Amino acid sequence: MAIREIRVVPDPVLRTPCDEIREITPAVRRLVQDLLDTVNDPGRAGLSANQIGVSLRAFSYNIDGHVGYILNPVLEETSGEQYGDEGCLSVPGLWYKTRRADHARVRGIDLDGKEVVLEGAGLMGRMLQHECDHLDGHVYLDRLEKDERREAMRYMRTHQR
């Protein structure tokens, strides 16, 4: 279908919790294809629907060559801890060490309404949490320590397009 433009902070769509998908329509099918096309680019681990301007609970992922999607994901379990570099397509040019659970499990559905469970540790666990945060209206900068968050926001203000 299409590689879509990525919305960047401070676009209000990124701060708005996304709506549950209640019906699998042709528009939802196009959205999933656009998410898959847009995430299938080197260096992209995940992409939520609101990052391309659509306030619906869906995201795509591209981890270790595995590309997929999930609709109406719910983060249902996390365990362990990791503290490592994290970036975001909606916050271009910034990478900060971010504390996350090491392992995460998300449950949702596919385009046929069948249950999907995604889980993993390391990068997969980080991506699952990162994308669910997006769908709840949060960006990873919200998880930074106060001084780093202040520095990141100052950078964003001075480097806006």
Side-chain angles (χ1 to χ4, degrees):
M1 289 282 184
I3 295 176
R4 302 274 295 272
E5 182 178 344
I6 307 293
R7 302 291 183 94
V8 297
V9 170
D11 191 314
V13 73
L14 298 169
R15 293 299 191 175
T16 304
C18 293
D19 296 325
E20 183 177 334
I21 296 170
R22 301 205 183 281
E23 182 182 355
I24 306 300
T25 63
V28 169
R29 290 180 185 283
R30 283 191 303 276
L31 169 64
V32 167
Q33 191 58 58
D34 288 353
L35 284 168
L36 292 169
D37 290 347
T38 305
V39 81
N40 196 14
D41 211 21
R44 294 185 173 179
L47 179 71
S48 64
N50 58 346
Q51 288 182 279
I52 59 171
V54 180
S55 289
L56 291 175
R57 291 192 69 81
F59 71 77
S60 60
Y61 60 92
N62 184 354
I63 302 287
D64 297 328
H66 299 327
V67 177
Y69 71 93
I70 190 168
L71 309 178
N72 296 333
V74 174
L75 182 63
E76 62 179 21
E77 181 183 307
T78 60
S79 63
E81 185 177 293
Q82 60 175 301
Y83 183 65
D85 286 339
E86 190 163 331
C88 179
L89 297 170
S90 293
V91 187
L94 291 182
W95 288 81
Y96 282 96
K97 289 203 179 299
T98 308
R99 196 168 310 283
R100 295 272 187 188
D102 183 51
H103 181 271
R105 182 171 63 221
V106 171
R107 186 177 306 272
I109 60 170
D110 66 14
L111 286 170
D112 296 321
K114 291 185 169 66
E115 183 178 78
V116 172
V117 176
L118 298 174
E119 68 181 306
L123 181 58
M124 182 71 169
R126 180 176 296 279
M127 179 278 299
L128 292 170
Q129 295 166 80
H130 182 109
E131 299 311 324
C132 285
D133 274 357
H134 270 303
L135 299 177
D136 292 335
H138 302 290
V139 295
Y140 89 101
L141 299 178
D142 300 340
R143 294 189 173 274
L144 298 179
E145 301 295 327
K146 190 169 84 171
D147 290 342
E148 286 182 323
R149 180 169 159 61
R150 188 177 304 120
E151 175 186 312
M153 297 312 290
R154 185 171 31 252
Y155 177 89
M156 293 299 293
R157 279 192 302 277
T158 60
H159 291 85
Q160 292 293 316
R161 297 185 215 182

